[in-house]
Amino acid sequence: MKFIQNVEMSKYREFENKHKKSHFLQSYEWGQFCKRAKRQIPRYVGMEDNDGNLVATCLILLKYTPFGFSYGYAPRGFVLDYNNKDVIKEFTNYLKQYMKDNKIIYIKFDPDIKYQDIDDDGNKIDGGENNYELYNYMLSLGYKHTGFYKLYEGNQPRYTFRIDLKKPWEEIEAKFNKSFMKSVKRSYSYNLVVDNDIKIDDFYRLIQSNSSKDDFDPHNLEYYKIFSDEMAKNNNMKYFNISIRPKELLSNISKEIEVLNKELDVNKKKEVDIKNKITRLEKEKEVFSKIDKDEVCVCSLICTYTKNRAWSLYIGSDDLANFTFAVTRSYYEAIKDAYSNGYEFFDLFGTPGDPNTKYKNLAKLHDFKRKFGDEYIEFIGEFDLVNNKILYKMLPIMLSVYRKLRRK
């Protein structure tokens, strides 16, 4: 085996495209995005067998500290065969030497590996599949596990919902919650316009609307511009924008009210239902008449991809999106698109490990994502490979002091 300190872009992409453990967070483009947006230094390392074929790759994002030291993070890395202990061991030994040679304090990684099968409440399923043996093997190689956190304490969510797209579409759709499908069907009554244009300004306006309601801080506009620029280079990203056309809607509503009023005169048996419909339409008319634009983007969902996998990542929406069911429609369109393009799964990228958490926003998020059905997954978590034990212990204190000084 041979360690490669700088894997060529073409070889790195080729390996990532073919490997079953590929992840957008390990893509070449993600490294370039982090370099520009987060000031992290990407390192694309790997390992070849005796025939010169790559058997492992890893994107390591480095951050430097004073005196020439650095610490690294390999998001959802490493990309290798986790059933092959020899490959894991040899790659680990190479990384240990690489860290010594480059004054890297530690490298954190959180592989796309399930820890154990869990039920709807996040509890272990007795007799289910697990990767306890791999977990213990990593510890035996010197990795330090940072804990089985339930919420969002780590760099990436430790739980997610994942939709298997290898089944017939009818089976996938049948697993969607009835209320979810009802809202999708209702969305068609608003003649929503769906497009895949890169609408950064609209997206940023909408995610700011989300942040004010859901109490989180979005990144700045430049962050999303860089993300869209880098991730679009190898088709690793797609927007799903949902827009409404108020004037067209108002015209349709007026015509529908006119028809219902005529029906009211001749169909007294359904008088209550007809009047309820008219009341709803009058409310819609009041909402849409306040908008003076021909077309307005009300929801924008950004998804990311490898060659065979799909994830939802960022979403922005406003009150009109909720009113017209555009949010559920955006996810429905994205999942259907991923299925049509032959992706093996669609990952909803993060949910709490405690469905009954006291944090209302997280509980609401979980309740929404569980409506998509399919598998609730618990990942194995974060491991740290430590090179300098003293600096590893001191680093959190050093960074805390440094950040306070910077803020001052």
Side-chain angles (χ1 to χ4, degrees):
M1 298 281 187
K2 179 183 177 183
F3 187 70
I4 310 298
Q5 293 201 30
N6 186 16
V7 181
E8 293 177 17
M9 181 177 69
S10 58
K11 288 185 177 180
Y12 188 92
R13 277 180 173 167
E14 183 182 5
F15 183 78
E16 287 284 313
N17 289 342
K18 293 179 180 178
H19 206 281
K20 63 181 181 179
K21 282 300 172 189
S22 64
H23 199 288
F24 80 91
L25 290 172
Q26 276 292 300
S27 67
Y28 190 90
E29 291 71 28
W30 187 260
Q32 296 305 301
F33 158 66
C34 290
K35 181 180 180 179
R36 292 177 58 191
K38 301 183 179 184
R39 296 182 180 178
Q40 295 171 322
I41 309 302
R43 294 287 183 261
Y44 303 91
V45 302
M47 187 172 71
E48 293 179 345
D49 62 17
N50 295 332
D51 295 322
N53 300 310
L54 281 170
V55 294
T57 60
C58 183
L59 164 64
I60 302 171
L61 301 169
L62 293 179
K63 276 205 167 185
Y64 281 89
T65 69
F67 309 110
F69 288 95
S70 66
Y71 57 99
Y73 174 44
R76 290 294 187 241
F78 317 126
V79 179
L80 48 73
D81 181 2
Y82 283 91
N83 293 315
N84 191 327
K85 290 183 177 179
D86 291 337
V87 169
I88 297 173
K89 184 177 181 179
E90 191 141 5
F91 192 58
T92 298
N93 289 335
Y94 276 128
L95 283 175
K96 288 177 179 178
Q97 187 60 51
Y98 178 74
M99 292 162 69
K100 288 178 183 177
D101 294 342
N102 292 276
K103 297 176 70 174
I104 300 172
I105 300 168
Y106 76 98
I107 295 174
K108 180 184 294 292
F109 86 112
D110 45 14
D112 187 346
I113 297 288
K114 184 197 298 184
Y115 180 58
Q116 59 188 3
D117 284 340
I118 55 175
D119 60 22
D120 290 343
D121 294 317
N123 299 315
K124 179 185 74 171
I125 296 176
D126 292 332
E129 294 181 1
N130 65 70
N131 277 302
Y132 301 158
E133 184 181 349
L134 175 62
Y135 168 82
N136 289 319
Y137 183 66
M138 302 306 291
L139 297 183
S140 74
L141 293 178
Y143 291 92
K144 173 183 170 63
H145 193 260
T146 62
F148 294 105
Y149 53 84
K150 289 279 188 178
L151 300 178
Y152 282 66
E153 299 93 331
N155 286 272
Q156 306 299 332
R158 209 172 72 81
Y159 294 80
T160 194
F161 283 104
R162 188 169 278 181
I163 302 166
D164 180 4
L165 299 180
K166 298 187 296 295
K167 300 174 291 187
W169 178 252
E170 293 75 19
E171 287 185 30
I172 295 169
E173 199 173 67
K175 284 196 171 185
F176 292 158
N177 182 278
K178 289 181 180 178
S179 66
F180 172 79
M181 285 307 300
K182 185 179 179 181
S183 66
V184 170
K185 289 172 183 175
R186 285 281 303 277
S187 74
Y188 285 95
S189 66
Y190 296 101
N191 296 338
L192 300 178
V193 180
V194 183
D195 71 73
N196 303 116
D197 297 337
I198 297 176
K199 296 181 176 178
I200 299 172
D201 291 333
D202 280 324
F203 168 80
Y204 190 64
R205 169 178 57 81
L206 292 167
I207 200 169
Q208 284 182 308
S209 174
N210 280 132
S211 66
S212 63
K213 290 180 292 185
D214 297 335
D215 193 27
F216 71 91
D217 293 323
H219 299 286
N220 59 34
L221 178 60
E222 186 64 17
Y223 176 96
Y224 297 110
K225 284 183 176 179
I226 296 171
F227 169 85
S228 299
D229 179 39
E230 290 294 343
M231 297 301 284
K233 289 180 178 177
N234 198 35
N235 298 318
N236 287 34
M237 176 275 300
K238 186 184 285 189
Y239 278 63
F240 291 86
N241 307 303
I242 311 290
S243 300
I244 60 170
R245 291 174 175 163
K247 292 179 182 178
E248 182 181 299
L249 288 171
L250 286 169
S251 175
N252 292 341
I253 289 169
S254 295
K255 290 176 184 176
E256 193 171 350
I257 290 174
E258 185 179 341
V259 170
L260 288 169
N261 279 323
K262 289 179 180 178
E263 187 179 348
L264 193 60
D265 293 334
V266 296
N267 195 344
K268 296 298 181 183
K269 290 182 180 180
K270 293 185 177 181
E271 182 177 354
V272 175
D273 288 341
I274 294 170
K275 284 184 176 180
N276 286 337
K277 285 182 181 179
I278 291 173
T279 300
R280 175 175 60 81
L281 289 168
E282 290 288 0
K283 183 181 178 182
E284 292 180 358
K285 192 173 180 180
E286 181 184 351
V287 170
F288 297 132
S289 63
K290 294 176 183 178
I291 307 166
D292 59 0
K293 295 182 179 179
D294 293 335
E295 185 169 309
V296 182
C297 184
V298 298
C299 181
S300 184
L301 171 68
I302 301 178
C303 296
T304 56
Y305 306 87
T306 60
K307 288 298 179 185
N308 58 358
R309 296 169 151 197
W311 292 260
S312 62
L313 187 58
Y314 304 122
I315 188 168
S317 62
D318 60 15
D319 291 337
L320 283 169
N322 296 325
F323 191 78
T324 58
F325 306 98
V327 173
T328 48
R329 178 69 175 277
S330 68
Y331 278 97
Y332 182 78
E333 293 289 342
I335 295 166
K336 192 168 62 171
D337 178 79
Y339 175 81
S340 299
N341 284 289
Y343 292 99
E344 66 179 58
F345 67 63
F346 187 93
D347 191 306
L348 294 165
F349 202 71
T351 192
D354 176 12
N356 303 308
T357 174
K358 63 181 180 180
Y359 299 102
K360 292 182 180 179
N361 286 344
L362 291 180
K364 182 180 175 183
L365 174 75
H366 185 85
D367 187 55
F368 175 73
K369 291 187 175 182
R370 78 192 309 171
K371 291 179 180 179
F372 293 88
D374 236 339
E375 191 175 10
Y376 185 23
I377 292 177
E378 177 185 5
F379 290 117
I380 201 167
E382 294 181 348
F383 293 91
D384 289 350
L385 187 60
V386 180
N387 172 43
N388 190 315
K389 292 181 180 179
I390 295 173
L391 289 180
Y392 177 73
K393 289 181 178 179
M394 291 175 59
L395 188 61
I397 301 169
M398 291 165 58
L399 291 176
S400 177
V401 171
Y402 173 70
R403 285 164 186 157
K404 285 179 181 178
L405 291 173
R406 277 194 67 181
R407 282 196 292 269
K408 287 183 180 180

